[in-house]
Amino acid sequence: MGEFESARARPAARAILLAALAIALLVVPGLPGVGTRNSPSQSTRPDTGAFTGVLSNVSLAIEGASYPPEGTTDTNLQSHWGPVPQDCSIFPVWYSWFLPSPSAAEGIFTDPGFAETKFVPETLAAGVAEVGLHSVARLSCPSIDSTLSAVAFTNVSSNPPPSLSNLSVSPSATRAPGPVNLTGVASGGRPPYLLGVAWGDGTFSNTTVTDPGPFFETHTFGPGTYSPRIALLDSERLDVRAGVSVPVVVTNATALTVLSSLPLAEVGKPVEFHGVVERPSWHLGTSMACAASVLVPPGSNLTNLSCTPSAPGILDATLEVLGPEPYFDVIITREQPVAEPVSISVRTIDPSVDAGTLTYVEVSIAGGVPPFNVTCGAGASVLCDVSNASPDGSFLVPWTPDRAGVIPLTASVVDSLGAVATTLPERATVESAPQLSLHANVTVSAPSTTVLLNATVRGGSYPLVWWVVPTIPPTNGSPPVGRSTTGSFGWVGTFEQEGVTTVSVQVLDSALSSVIEPAEVALPLLPNLQAILPLIPVSPLPRPILLVNLSSGVPPFESWVNTSQTNLWNGTWPTSGDFVVALPAGLAGRTELGITVTDARGYRAEANVTGLFPAPVVGRVSSASWNNATLGVLGILVGALTLTYLIARMRRRDRAPDPPVLDPERVVENLLLPADGADRFTIEMMAEEQGIALELVRSTIDRLIQEGRIRTEAEPGGGEVLAWESAEDP
C-alpha cells in the first residue's frame, strides 16, 4: 500500500485524547527534565533570536516489537521523540495511546498516558491491528522554545491463530489416474507458512507459502476415495489442520465436475461455469443450472453456463447427466462463494479540523474482490492513488487543509473484477487556524500587584485547552490551566515582586492546533532615591534642609535621615515625588548623612550625602538678626540653589510621553509637609518641576492660604515663608 498504513479509526479517539490532555494539564505540575509519564510544560523562555536548527527533523515514532513475543498476543510499545538538535533538550508534556480501528481490533493499553505501554487485545477481526499515539513535547534550545505536536501510527499483529478456509478439490470425481487441484485460503498467524498436505493415499507434500491468501496444489490419485488433510504452520510454529468437505473419488464409474472461472464471485458480476463429464463416455444428455433444479431433456448437451449472483453468500452451480441404461441421473453441485458488491467510504478521523493542521482521512473498503485500486481527494487536491490495496478494510491518508470552509471528500475503488464504486457525498468542515489576543489589566496595591489577563481566541475548533506560564512566579492566583468552549477565558495572578514579567499563554484546540502569545506586564519598579544637601555659608544658620527626589516603588514610603550617631529625621510620604526635609539645627563640620526609604512592600532605597556645616557662633543671636538679614539671605541662597538643582534635574530627566494628571493641591501638600517652613519661591519652582503650571501653583497656594490650610509669614527681604497647617497644630 505504499506510504499508507492499514488502519481503522475509532470515532471517539480524539475526544478521549482531548479529555486526557485537559486532566493531565490540570493535575500534574511542571516537572524539570524528561519524564516517562505525562507532565505539563515547564516555564517557557521568550524567544531571544533565530534558531538555526532544523525542527522539521524532530518527529514522533513508536518503537517496539512488530509482533508480540511467542506464545502471547500482548505487544510492548515505546514512544520516541527525536532526533534532538545539538545543544537542545526535549521535554514530553503528555502521551495518549489510542486504537484508530476499533472494528479491526478491541483491546486496552495498560498505561495509556505513559511513554511505555503494553497493548492487550480482546477481540480481533484481522491479522494486523493498528495502534496510534499522540504526544505534545517542548523543545528547549539556547535561543528558542518550541511546542511540538505529532501523531504516530504502527501496525502490530496481535493475531488470531492461523486458519484455513475455502478448501476444495477440483474435480472431486475423476478417472484413474486422476489429477486433482487442491485450493484454499491461508490467513492469520505470522507468515511465511509451511503448508503440508496428507493426500490420503500415503503420500505427503510440503510447500512454503510466503503471504496470506489463496494457495494451489496439484496431486494425481490412483483409483479410490481420498480425503486430503491440510496442515498450516506459521513462523511462530502455531499450526491449524483441516480437511476437505467433499472427498476425492477416483474410479472407473461416473466422474463429473463443475469448474468455475472465479475463486470468488461478486454480486452483479458474471461468473462462468463449465461442466466436465469424464464418465460415462456416452450419455443421453447433460444440463446445468444456477440456484435452481436441473431438467435434462434427452439429447441436450449444456456444459457451459454464465450466472450473475444477486446476493452474497453461496451460489449453487449444478451439473446433471442423464445416463444410457437404465436411465439414471447423476448430479454434482459446486458451491461458489459470492462477495458483496464493492463499496467505499471516506471520512476524517478527527471530529474537528483546522486549516494548516495535520489530520487524517480514513478510506474504508467493503465487499468486492481484491486487490483494489483506490483514489481519493479533498476538493481539487489528490490525497491518494493506491494500487493493489490490501483487503483488510481501511487505511489512513494524511491531509493538511490549506484553507477554511466546507471541503468535499471523494474516493473511488475498482476491484479485480472491474466493479467500480464511489463514495456518497461527504464534506469536511475546516475551521480557520486559531488566533490568540491578550489584554492585561494591572492593579497596584500596597501589598501586591494584581494582573488580570483576558484572552480571546478567534477561529479554531472547540473545546480548547489553555495554560499560562509567567516568567516571574505569582504569589497566588487562579489555576494556570483550563478549558474553554467559547474562546474567551481569563487568568488572575498576584505578584509581590517588582519588575517586568512576561506571561505566555498557549492554546491547544480540539483539532490539535496550537498557538502561543506572550504578554509583557510591567510590575512596579524598585524605589529609586536621589538627594542633595544645599549648604548656606551664613551664620547664624536657620535649620538646614535636604532636597529628596523619590521615584518608583509602591506608596506609602517610610523615610529616615540618619548620621552614624543618631537619627536626625523620619517621616511618611504618601506618594513618590520631590520633598524638602528640614534637618535639626546644630549640625556642624563634615557630616555623613544616610537617607533610607522603604516602600509598602518592604523594598528599600538608600542614598548618602556629605555636608560641611559651619561651626555654631558663640553667644546668643538676636531675634532681629535672625528674622531680618539672615532670613533674607537664607531665602535668596536656598532659592538660588534650589533653582540650580531643579534646572539640572529638568535637563537630565527624560520627559515621559504621557505624564499623569497631577493634583496641584496634593503636590503642594507633599512639598510642605516634611518641612517646618519653606520659601514660597522654592515651593513654586519645585511644584512646576513636577509638571504643574506656574499660574496654577500660585492660584492653588493663594486659595489654600485663604482657606487657612497654609500659614504664611513675610520675610524682611521681601520673601514669603510657607508652612502646612496640619490638623494636629494648635
Side-chain angles (χ1 to χ4, degrees), residues 170-171 178-183 195 197 199 203 205 207 215-221:
S170 178
V180 171
N181 298 323
L182 171 66
T183 59
L195 180 68
V197 181
W199 295 103
T203 62
S205 65
T207 306
F215 59 84
F216 178 88
E217 295 289 321
T218 300
H219 185 70
T220 301
F221 291 95

Side-chain angles (χ1 to χ4, degrees), residues 373 395 487 669:
N373 291 332
F395 57 87
E669 178 183 359

Side-chain angles (χ1 to χ4, degrees), residues 219-382:
H219 185 70
T220 301
F221 291 95
T225 299
Y226 310 98
S227 296
R229 297 285 299 171
I230 302 95
L232 187 68
L233 181 69
D234 74 352
S235 59
E236 287 287 333
R237 303 198 65 79
L238 300 176
D239 67 344
V240 61
R241 304 176 185 228
V244 296
S245 58
V246 178
V248 178
V249 179
V250 181
T251 65
N252 290 325
T254 302
L256 308 178
T257 189
V258 176
L259 303 179
S260 173
S261 61
L262 298 173
L264 177 63
E266 181 180 352
V267 172
K269 304 298 292 184
V271 57
E272 305 296 329
F273 296 101
H274 176 62
V276 178
V277 180
E278 295 190 11
R279 291 184 306 276
S281 57
W282 180 81
H283 50 78
L284 297 180
T286 61
S287 185
M288 297 186 69
C290 289
S293 59
V294 181
L295 177 63
V296 185
S300 66
N301 190 26
L302 179 61
T303 57
N304 293 294
L305 184 64
S306 177
C307 300
T308 301
S310 60
I314 299 297
L315 174 65
D316 290 336
T318 303
L319 170 65
E320 184 172 355
V321 176
L322 182 62
E325 291 291 343
Y327 296 101
F328 61 89
D329 290 341
V330 180
I331 298 176
I332 185 171
T333 299
R334 178 188 179 93
E335 294 183 345
Q336 174 67 44
V338 179
E340 294 182 356
V342 65
S343 63
I344 189 170
S345 63
V346 62
R347 70 180 183 92
T348 59
I349 66 170
D350 296 321
S352 302
V353 179
D354 287 351
T357 298
L358 174 66
T359 186
Y360 289 87
V361 173
E362 181 191 56
V363 180
S364 299
I365 306 169
V369 179
F372 304 100
N373 291 332
V374 181
T375 58
C376 61
S381 301
V382 177

Side-chain angles (χ1 to χ4, degrees), residues 567-593:
N567 178 17
L568 300 181
W569 178 90
N570 65 77
T572 300
W573 293 332
T575 64
S576 60
D578 295 312
F579 303 95
V580 177
V581 179
L583 300 176
L587 298 176
R590 185 180 181 86
T591 303
E592 297 284 343
L593 299 179

